[in-house]
Amino acid sequence: QNLLAENFVNEATITEINSRSDHIRSFFCRDFLPTTSPEGWRAQDEQLGKVYSECMGRLNSGQQHLLREAERAWIIYRDADELSARTVYTDSAVWLAAVSHLTANRMTQLSAISNSLGTSSHAENSESPVTNRTPDPSDVKTVADLKDQSKSVLLSLKEKSGNLFIAQATALKNAPDLPPTIADQLSDLDLKFRTILTKDGATKFLASASSEYLTVELLSSWSLFKRQLKTGDVADARKALAAVLGRKPKDLPPAYDVMWAFAEAWLQAYDKVAPDFESHLKKAKSFAELGKNADAIREYQAAFDIIDNSSIPPEIKKLREQSLGL
């Protein structure tokens, strides 16, 4: 909403309502259900990534942050919709079709946003007058206050967690959660920083708090990373965390640097085991299609032992029921 003119936002909202209505009718109100192959879904997901990158290239840094957060929210929405399809249908081709349908809608939205912004020089043209404006004193004070609040929360995390949170990366299923109270505080701070980023001159007067607001963003992304691993959106979990790590600021205070090193180590742990995880899933699906349920269960369990996401137990349960003739 902060990226576009009001009339465009209103039009996009109406389009989204109509798309959602069509999606519900297609997958929950009809006897004939669409299907999609894994290969078709992967190709579409790659295309979405290209459209998203093109759109990001037309925004200044503050606007990019807004779109990035919107994309994270969309991924959560997509995952929730897929989970609802999984509870109704046993055919994975239908789940993929539901995800594919939402992805197509999202590509249309991003393309419309990109086209409304004009050429890629939009980012340069919109950044220049913004960074040259004199910051409002009240905004400068707000940033200073947020920096102090963030510093307090981040140091509290380091002091309280010890080796419990900032720990050596091991098995992904043992990746620690943020302490609940601190997670809530970081989420609140992240929202406040994102609000500041919509203001004129944001990139200029946020520079004094870059270490704090980027570390807050990193730890907020860690919560998303954990949630996506558990819900089965494994590839996107990596993308979200890697995107934040790619914006690591220079000259971090030692107290923050250890938090970035923590996230980097866990991303490396992911890259080390993800191929095995995907291999076990692929074998499990192949065995299931051949009716070799015991082998399929063994492979699903091996994948679950690597990343304990919630999409695997229902598959194991279904195969066991089939083996018992239920």
Side-chain angles (χ1 to χ4, degrees):
Q1 187 170 0
N2 291 306
L3 295 175
L4 307 165
E6 183 178 359
N7 63 327
F8 187 95
V9 173
N10 292 338
E11 182 178 336
T13 301
I14 293 173
T15 301
E16 175 61 20
I17 292 172
N18 291 335
S19 297
R20 184 60 184 167
S21 298
D22 178 61
H23 183 79
I24 293 173
R25 283 194 297 268
S26 296
F27 290 92
F28 299 99
C29 302
R30 292 177 182 169
D31 294 330
F32 174 77
L33 296 170
T35 59
T36 297
S37 68
E39 294 76 17
W41 153 238
R42 281 194 291 271
Q44 192 178 42
D45 189 43
E46 291 177 3
Q47 183 61 31
L48 174 62
K50 293 177 182 178
V51 174
Y52 174 73
S53 296
E54 180 181 347
C55 193
M56 288 287 279
R58 301 189 178 194
L59 302 172
N60 63 40
S61 59
Q63 294 169 328
Q64 287 176 346
H65 189 92
L66 289 172
L67 183 59
R68 191 177 298 114
E69 292 303 311
E71 197 67 8
R72 289 176 183 169
W74 177 80
I75 289 171
I76 293 172
Y77 155 66
R78 181 201 63 190
D79 292 348
D81 186 88
E82 182 188 1
L83 183 60
S84 68
R86 285 173 178 269
T87 62
V88 177
Y89 307 111
T90 58
D91 187 353
S92 61
V94 177
W95 311 338
L96 290 175
V99 176
S100 179
H101 188 258
L102 290 181
T103 301
N105 290 343
R106 185 57 177 167
M107 281 195 288
T108 300
Q109 292 172 345
L110 291 176
S111 295
I113 291 173
S114 185
N115 292 336
S116 75
L117 297 172
T119 64
S120 59
S121 62
H122 176 276
E124 299 172 4
N125 293 337
S126 55
E127 184 70 23
S128 179
V130 167
T131 54
N132 289 332
R133 288 177 183 151
T134 301
D136 188 295
S138 64
D139 289 331
V140 175
K141 184 179 184 306
T142 299
V143 170
D145 290 342
L146 284 176
K147 178 178 180 178
D148 289 341
Q149 293 171 30
S150 299
K151 186 175 182 179
S152 176
V153 174
L154 293 171
L155 292 180
S156 176
L157 171 63
K158 185 174 183 296
E159 292 167 1
K160 291 181 179 179
S161 60
N163 291 326
L164 295 179
F165 178 69
I166 305 173
Q168 182 178 359
T170 54
L172 277 179
K173 66 185 308 176
N174 297 325
D177 290 311
L178 285 163
T181 301
I182 288 180
D184 290 342
Q185 291 174 320
L186 288 170
S187 178
D188 181 61
L189 286 166
D190 189 46
L191 177 60
K192 289 177 179 176
F193 274 126
R194 284 189 281 116
T195 300
I196 286 291
L197 277 165
T198 66
K199 294 179 176 288
D200 291 344
T203 54
K204 186 173 183 179
F205 57 82
L206 265 176
S208 63
S210 61
S211 292
E212 281 73 25
Y213 90 75
L214 286 170
T215 303
V216 165
E217 182 186 17
L218 171 74
L219 295 177
S220 296
S221 295
W222 173 258
S223 295
L224 176 63
F225 174 74
K226 282 295 302 295
R227 184 165 60 249
Q228 288 179 319
L229 284 182
K230 290 181 178 179
T231 57
D233 196 4
V234 180
D236 280 328
R238 188 204 184 281
K239 290 178 185 177
L241 188 59
V244 182
L245 286 170
R247 296 191 296 280
K248 181 179 179 180
K250 297 180 180 179
D251 304 320
L252 276 167
Y256 303 162
D257 190 56
V258 69
M259 298 177 189
W260 288 80
F262 158 85
E264 288 168 343
W266 281 100
L267 188 63
Q268 291 170 6
Y270 167 90
D271 288 338
K272 184 177 180 180
V273 302
D276 284 343
F277 173 80
E278 295 293 345
S279 176
H280 285 303
L281 282 186
K282 184 176 180 180
K283 290 178 181 177
K285 292 173 183 177
S286 296
F287 281 133
E289 290 173 357
L290 295 172
K292 298 181 178 180
N293 291 357
D295 291 331
I297 291 172
R298 186 187 68 249
E299 293 295 336
Y300 272 126
Q301 187 60 55
F304 190 81
D305 288 341
I306 297 173
I307 301 175
D308 57 344
N309 72 79
S310 61
S311 66
I312 293 177
E315 295 295 333
I316 294 177
K317 181 175 182 292
K318 180 180 69 175
L319 291 170
R320 283 176 174 163
E321 289 176 346
Q322 290 174 351
S323 297
L324 294 172
L326 299 177

